[in-house]
Amino acid sequence: PNDYFTKRDGRTETGRRLALPRAGMPANAQGVRIDPRDWNRADGFSPGQQITVFIPGLNTRRAVRRNKLVPITDIARSLDRRQRVVVIDAETGERRLMWAEVDSAAPRASRRALLIRPAENLEEGRRYVVALRGLRTAAGKRIKPSFAFRVMRDAKPTRSKSIERRRKAMRRVWPALERAGIPRGNLVLAWDFTVASRESTT
């Protein structure tokens, strides 16, 4: 879930509507992609949806252990002050219970995504921020943010039209992180997403 894949819509309860591109949808054996129109009726993402992100260098169980990410056996660690992967209510700054693991179904390590799983359904109609910070590889090497994220995080100007368009959306993320006491300096990645309203899900 990521509000990058939504658009504004004043007719919905959340003020947004999904805008999943067909080119980004899964394809069948004949190469035909799923039509996203049914999903794009929703005014946000599922309250229990798994959060999936690919971070180079954070794609093995050893790397997960190195970063002391929250295991399914101890989800209370979601609330640790220095927890490196957090899910935050954008309005209140409250942490949400979750756990994180690498995708064991991926055919090889280079394709393994990080799966962040809410331990309880998120509140309908609310906006959340995902933040990943201070990450290291299994060998202990610091994982650096992408160029695009780093210049937005550090408020550096660019001539990239796509980065500058994305910068406008990220202005809603920084205040939420500040309310939650998450400093920007060591962020590797952060983004926000809106959970669908009850009206939409029912």
Side-chain angles (χ1 to χ4, degrees), residues 67-84:
N67 287 283
K68 298 181 180 178
L69 302 190
V70 180
I72 191 173
T73 53
D74 191 4
I75 61 173
R77 283 167 52 185
S78 305
L79 310 181
D80 288 353
R81 187 170 66 88
R82 295 189 178 183
Q83 178 53 237
R84 296 180 181 183

Side-chain angles (χ1 to χ4, degrees), residues 50-56 58-61 64 69 100-117 132:
Q50 168 187 286
I51 301 164
T52 305
V53 60
F54 180 75
I55 303 290
L58 186 55
N59 50 8
T60 65
R61 292 177 183 176
V64 168
L69 302 190
E101 59 188 348
V102 291
D103 182 6
S104 60
R108 53 186 181 275
S110 62
R111 299 293 300 275
R112 286 183 193 143
L114 182 68
L115 310 179
I116 305 166
R117 303 184 188 273
L132 297 88

Side-chain angles (χ1 to χ4, degrees), residues 6-77:
T6 66
K7 61 183 178 182
R8 292 182 181 178
D9 189 334
R11 298 169 297 175
T12 70
E13 289 291 312
T14 65
R16 306 202 74 80
R17 191 177 295 280
L18 296 195
L20 303 174
R22 186 157 192 164
M25 299 297 284
N28 65 17
Q30 286 73 45
V32 178
R33 296 191 178 274
I34 294 172
D35 188 333
R37 281 181 290 185
D38 284 343
W39 282 272
N40 286 344
R41 293 190 180 104
D43 65 4
F45 296 90
S46 169
Q49 184 164 338
Q50 168 187 286
I51 301 164
T52 305
V53 60
F54 180 75
I55 303 290
L58 186 55
N59 50 8
T60 65
R61 292 177 183 176
R62 186 181 170 198
V64 168
R65 290 193 298 270
R66 160 77 71 169
N67 287 283
K68 298 181 180 178
L69 302 190
V70 180
I72 191 173
T73 53
D74 191 4
I75 61 173
R77 283 167 52 185

